[in-house]
Amino acid sequence: MELQKPRGTRDFLFEEMKERKYVEGTLRGVFETYGYQEIKTPLFEDLSLFTLKSGEGIMEQIYHFKDKGGRDLALRPELTAPVARLYINQLQKVPKPIKMYYFGSCFRYERPQAGRFRQFWQLGCELIGGKSPDAEGEVIAMAAHSLEKIGLTDFEIHIGDLGIIRGILNQAQLEDQDQIMALIDKGDVEELKSCLERVETDQKYKDILLNLIGVQGHREVMEEVREILEDYPDASKSLQELERLLDVLESFGFSNYVVNLGIARGLDYYSGTVFEIYVHGLGAQKQISGGGTYNLIEVFGGEKVESTGFAFGFDRVMEALKQQKSTLPLAKTVEVFVAPVSPEMKFKSFEIADKLRKEGIATETDLAGRKFKKLLSHANNLGARYVVLVGARDLEQGHVTIKDMDSSLQEQVALEEVVNLLVSKIRR
Ligand code: HAM
């Protein structure tokens, strides 16, 4: 029987893990400079946490199961609902705003394809108790800053406000708004048109809706939208809020956004500002991040508190970097290889390796009893920058030899100086 990993899951090997850790660490670093602190929540939660308000799309994709005690549980498909639960359980009394970030896997039963997995990772944040539009502006600026910091250049941040479309839907007194929002989120205009044909309302609402979801551009599109929305007070109010958000964003130093009123988001808990980040080169899975302002805490029975956040689809961010052919500044796995010239030199080699490691230098030595002739090529394969040759004759005179694998130059060094010398060469 051949054992296989489940569909839609992946194993990660050494190089890939190094790249992922580098990007994860860099993104964490940016989040922390904005005052976010890390939290961790369980991989599984009560199923009801995700069925209350996450929306139809998520429901179909949930991995749920009964445990031995008959409880209905679910592997988390995302982390906003768990963070809202955590907030209600433990953080309601903590001074606001509260800034939290997380990195962890999520599970969705989807049809696996490039960039779409059944287990994937999100690195995201939630800002609870900040005031709109300043909180949203800072969150979006942080998303942009994060991507700039990892060297991604080809991304676009699209920003919208659900209040604009919802304002029209409410004024038109349309029922089944969720279905319309889901079609807008899918970007399926034809299906949306035929859905609208079936609903009974004044044609002007349908026209305006189809018109709005096509609006995309920089700040100049706002003027045009303002005119379209003249007779729609709720939608106009949301448009003004969007304008204020753009002012905030620009003062945080980010002005390269795209206003996109066709963003509806797949999850049902969003209530105002929404945004998505695209890398077009990724094709169908171009959305590397999504987020916005939501009302989940209220839905879960907590007090009304403004909350906003977003999550990077970490696997897609990695894919985008790969596609952009970015070379990441990764640390070497092995800096120094300590090579015993003869078997009797083994213990001395271990001793030197131990001292180097305690100085924080990544060091390997021979654990496979290789002949000396093979050791140099082994050290080379490992990518070691320096090899310490530990030979009996050298040792008698209190020396070892250091070989620089780049230049092939060798130098004799007093045994008591070898560690300091290598530390200074490597840290230089
Ligand atoms: P989401 O848009 O459902 O939002 O997911 C966030 C990101 O996770 C997506 O933009 C995408 O890059 C990535 N993603 C989603 N599904 C998959 C998959 N099957 N395989 C690989 N990547 C995937 C949320 O989950 C919200 N909780 C974000 C948020 C935080 N909103 C407010 N705060």
Side-chain angles (χ1 to χ4, degrees):
M1 182 178 70
E2 201 187 339
L3 295 175
Q4 296 283 359
K5 55 186 168 2
R7 240 168 91 71
T9 66
R10 288 152 300 156
D11 297 314
F12 300 101
L13 273 174
F14 315 121
E15 266 319 288
E16 199 169 4
M17 273 317 291
K18 256 201 236 173
E19 288 167 1
R20 289 173 74 93
K21 285 192 85 163
Y22 169 79
V23 174
E24 178 196 330
T26 309
L27 295 177
R28 281 171 181 277
V30 175
F31 282 28
E32 286 170 13
T33 57
Y34 285 76
Y36 283 80
Q37 300 189 77
E38 187 173 9
I39 48 158
K40 222 173 196 68
T41 62
L43 270 186
F44 58 88
E45 298 266 2
D46 282 343
L47 175 64
S48 58
L49 187 70
F50 302 111
T51 53
L52 272 173
K53 193 67 186 172
S54 292
E56 286 283 315
I58 282 281
M59 281 305 302
E60 285 165 19
Q61 299 170 345
I62 263 180
Y63 274 91
H64 62 90
F65 58 98
K66 275 196 194 299
D67 72 1
K68 291 188 199 312
R71 299 170 192 88
D72 284 304
L73 300 172
L75 295 182
R76 62 184 184 203
E78 57 103 38
L79 278 112
T80 305
V83 174
R85 175 199 52 71
L86 163 73
Y87 168 79
I88 291 172
N89 293 159
Q90 302 200 46
L91 297 171
Q92 295 202 72
K93 302 225 151 44
V94 169
K96 299 187 186 49
I98 308 174
K99 291 177 157 182
M100 298 176 264
Y101 83 89
Y102 47 78
F103 178 67
S105 37
C106 300
F107 303 85
R108 294 185 191 177
Y109 191 79
E110 305 201 69
R111 199 164 57 78
Q113 51 192 287
R116 187 174 283 278
F117 308 101
R118 291 184 174 172
Q119 180 186 12
F120 61 99
W121 275 259
Q122 283 191 352
L123 199 148
C125 68
E126 310 298 341
L127 168 48
I128 298 181
K131 287 262 174 281
S132 177
D134 300 358
E136 288 126 336
E138 193 191 70
V139 158
I140 297 173
M142 181 172 86
H145 183 174
S146 301
L147 295 175
E148 280 157 15
K149 188 83 180 174
I150 56 171
L152 196 69
T153 50
D154 254 355
F155 65 90
E156 273 179 13
I157 301 193
H158 287 227
I159 305 173
D161 190 309
L162 291 186
I164 299 173
I165 289 179
R166 286 209 187 269
I168 303 292
L169 294 177
N170 288 341
Q171 207 164 326
Q173 295 183 319
L174 284 187
E175 285 167 11
D176 210 2
Q177 295 189 6
D178 286 350
Q179 194 199 352
I180 295 174
M181 294 306 277
L183 288 175
I184 297 175
D185 180 52
K186 249 170 93 183
D188 194 335
V189 180
E190 288 315 308
E191 215 180 313
L192 177 66
K193 275 185 188 157
S194 56
C195 171
L196 287 175
E197 270 165 27
R198 291 192 297 273
V199 294
E200 274 182 36
T201 187
D202 197 321
Q203 184 62 32
K204 70 175 182 186
Y205 294 117
K206 300 179 185 181
D207 292 342
I208 211 167
L209 205 62
L210 289 167
N211 198 349
L212 281 177
I213 62 167
V215 169
Q216 258 191 52
H218 201 254
R219 197 142 190 167
E220 66 281 352
V221 299
M222 299 299 275
E223 186 57 49
E224 172 196 335
V225 181
R226 217 175 294 131
E227 279 167 26
I228 301 176
L229 294 181
E230 227 167 36
D231 300 326
Y232 303 88
D234 288 352
S236 289
K237 193 165 159 265
S238 294
L239 186 73
Q240 281 164 17
E241 283 163 13
L242 180 57
E243 294 228 63
R244 286 207 299 273
L245 169 64
L246 300 182
D247 291 338
V248 173
L249 250 185
E250 286 171 18
S251 66
F252 273 120
F254 182 70
S255 52
N256 200 14
Y257 53 78
V258 177
V259 172
N260 179 345
L261 302 186
I263 298 180
R265 304 288 293 133
L267 297 153
D268 277 357
Y269 48 63
Y270 293 102
S271 51
T273 300
V274 281
F275 68 99
E276 293 184 340
I277 309 182
Y278 306 130
V279 172
H280 292 290
L282 296 180
Q285 314 312 327
K286 66 175 191 280
Q287 193 197 123
I288 62 163
S289 180
T293 291
Y294 53 89
N295 60 6
L296 208 47
I297 291 170
E298 228 180 311
V299 171
F300 286 170
E303 86 274 40
K304 198 170 159 68
V305 55
E306 287 184 49
S307 5
T308 190
F310 72 93
F312 284 121
F314 188 74
D315 309 272
R316 295 189 187 169
V317 169
M318 293 308 300
E319 197 49 43
L321 283 171
K322 202 193 283 174
Q323 206 173 73
Q324 197 190 278
K325 298 198 168 37
S326 294
T327 32
L328 303 173
L330 303 180
K332 269 179 172 282
T333 311
V334 178
E335 300 277 8
V336 178
F337 190 90
V338 186
V341 174
S342 57
E344 311 80 69
M345 293 296 105
K346 183 169 81 174
F347 286 165
K348 197 68 195 172
S349 301
F350 288 175
E351 202 182 301
I352 297 171
D354 175 61
K355 289 195 176 118
L356 284 163
R357 287 167 178 162
K358 287 184 174 150
E359 288 300 326
I361 303 291
T363 306
E364 265 290 23
T365 183
D366 178 44
L367 298 179
R370 285 187 171 79
K371 295 256 178 337
F372 178 66
K373 274 195 208 148
K374 299 261 167 76
L375 282 182
L376 277 186
S377 62
H378 180 54
N380 199 30
N381 291 342
L382 289 175
R385 174 76 209 276
Y386 299 100
V387 176
V388 180
L389 303 162
V390 187
R393 219 172 306 146
D394 262 1
L395 261 193
E396 271 167 27
Q397 292 160 21
H399 290 145
V400 289
T401 298
I402 295 179
K403 181 177 168 95
D404 181 324
M405 298 293 276
D406 284 353
S407 64
S408 289
L409 293 177
Q410 299 199 168
E411 59 179 315
Q412 262 194 343
V413 179
L415 188 57
E416 58 277 11
E417 278 168 22
V418 66
V419 172
N420 283 345
L421 183 71
L422 283 170
V423 168
S424 69
K425 280 178 186 288
I426 288 164
R427 303 250 161 88
R428 196 163 41 209

